[in-house]
Amino acid sequence: MHELSIADALLNEASVAAANHGLRAVNRVGVRVGRLSGVATHALAMAFEILREGPVLGRAVLDIEDADGADLRLTWLEGE
Amino acid sequence: MTMRVEVVERVLRANDALAEEVRAALDAAGVLALNLIGSPGSGKTAVLERTAALLRPRLRLGVIEGDIATTRDAERLARCGVPAVQIETRLVGNACHLDAHLVRTALTRLALTDLDVLAIENVGNLVCPAAYYLGEHLRVVVASVPEGDDKPWKYPSTFARADAVIVNKIDLLPFTNFSMETFAEGLRQVTQAPLFALSASTGDGLNPWIEWIAGQPRGHRS
């Protein structure tokens, strides 16, 4: 259930990163989710789809990389 | 043209930045903060009622209570003479966990200089609170006998990040098939954190837990 909060934080970080790198439209967002992070990846993907909006991130697709440990990071953006 | 940029930023960077502010305020006041995580009904508040009484007069306990609704738990602790502030997450979207922003706001309603130990009792939930750093020094998971001995096996991400684990309600052991060996075996798969078996109801087993708290370093206050 907290995946909505996590997706919201992820979209905020992605928005900042897109602006920093001059991306006007993001197609894909890479995120690393550790198995001990306490985040359910299917719930995160659903929350991301519900919350994404606007010209920069409104069409972005989430690309989830499973990892060991408790890591929870935005890792890359793909766009133009 | 499509391009890919590497970012590598913590998803919860904004939360963690606020948590560091909380941590700095606690350290400046010489207060040790514990983040208590456990299922609804595991006895987190009852453990804190006992803990406050047993720490006194050596150490003064204050509490931040997180619940979705009601101020019942803060009132329970206030009746024990414990300074307590309630966070009702129904007022901020029914959150299933506390975050650093909520804790930082609650801190402004507590006189830190009058405290030695601050317990942050998270919203009853064995999953969601584990993802959020609140600025605490130590994370304590509270489980209980009626929940069953398989909990560390089922919720490894929560138990793996615990600095201490309590199994409460050991007075109910004769009435259940709970095996402390099974629980401990599951726990040892993910952490070497100390395990305290106790009953907040009868008071049995509280002393090692109290001494563990008393033995922790507290901030920078001289």
Side-chain angles (χ1 to χ4, degrees):
Chain A
M1 170 171 165
H2 67 304
E3 282 79 8
L4 271 173
S5 312
I6 302 282
D8 187 49
L10 174 60
L11 283 161
N12 283 334
E13 294 304 328
S15 170
V16 170
N20 286 344
H21 290 91
L23 294 177
R24 286 171 291 115
V26 174
N27 307 324
R28 294 162 73 80
V29 173
V31 62
R32 183 183 304 142
V33 179
R35 277 180 274 276
L36 294 179
S37 67
V39 172
T41 53
H42 67 281
L44 179 63
M46 185 194 285
F48 186 89
E49 271 191 40
I50 292 167
L51 294 179
R52 65 183 175 177
E53 61 179 7
V56 180
L57 286 160
R59 300 164 75 86
V61 173
L62 195 59
D63 190 313
I64 296 174
E65 171 200 353
D66 289 319
D68 289 332
D71 214 10
L72 182 59
R73 280 175 198 274
L74 168 64
T75 44
W76 52 267
L77 297 177
E78 198 180 274
E80 45 202 75
Chain B
M1 197 183 78
T2 299
M3 61 184 226
R4 173 171 159 141
V5 296
E6 304 300 318
V7 184
V8 192
E9 184 66 83
R10 282 169 299 157
V11 169
L12 292 175
R13 180 184 61 84
N15 176 80
D16 293 351
L18 291 172
E20 289 304 334
E21 285 184 31
V22 168
R23 177 67 171 258
L26 293 165
D27 284 341
V31 174
L32 170 74
L34 311 175
N35 180 3
L36 266 73
I37 295 174
S39 306
S42 59
K44 296 182 292 300
T45 311
V47 166
L48 289 177
E49 286 170 324
R50 284 277 185 182
T51 301
L54 291 169
L55 284 176
R56 240 179 255 142
R58 261 193 302 175
L59 296 170
R60 301 161 297 175
L61 179 72
V63 174
I64 293 175
E65 281 289 341
D67 278 298
I68 291 178
T70 82
T71 56
R72 291 172 64 101
D73 283 358
E75 288 160 16
R76 274 174 65 178
L77 286 152
R79 281 197 289 275
C80 301
V82 178
V85 171
Q86 183 81 45
I87 298 170
E88 284 187 81
T89 67
R90 71 184 171 90
L91 306 173
V92 287
N94 289 315
C96 49
H97 58 274
L98 294 180
D99 61 33
H101 175 71
L102 291 171
V103 171
R104 191 182 65 156
T105 305
L107 266 194
T108 63
R109 294 157 58 199
L110 275 174
L112 282 184
T113 49
D114 294 341
L115 302 180
D116 302 301
V117 181
L118 174 68
I120 305 167
E121 185 185 329
N122 224 305
V123 179
N125 183 322
L126 209 45
V127 181
C128 309
Y132 286 82
Y133 173 49
L134 305 178
E136 75 270 17
H137 298 89
L138 298 163
R139 192 173 277 208
V140 180
V141 173
V142 182
S144 65
V145 166
E147 293 169 51
D149 51 25
D150 57 357
K151 290 300 159 292
W153 307 83
K154 284 185 166 177
Y155 300 89
S157 61
T158 302
F159 284 92
R161 294 159 85 179
D163 297 296
V165 174
I166 289 174
V167 174
N168 186 27
K169 310 189 190 183
I170 55 169
D171 51 311
L172 299 182
L173 280 170
F175 309 105
T176 70
N177 58 3
F178 185 100
S179 157
M180 199 61 77
E181 290 71 29
T182 302
F183 186 95
E185 189 190 342
L187 190 63
R188 293 299 164 241
Q189 308 253 334
V190 292
T191 177
Q192 293 303 311
L195 170 61
F196 301 105
L198 55 84
S199 167
S201 175
T202 65
D204 282 346
L206 263 293
N207 277 344
W209 157 245
I210 296 298
E211 292 311 315
W212 181 81
I213 295 175
Q216 301 297 328
R218 292 191 307 283
H220 306 311
R221 184 166 58 183
S222 52

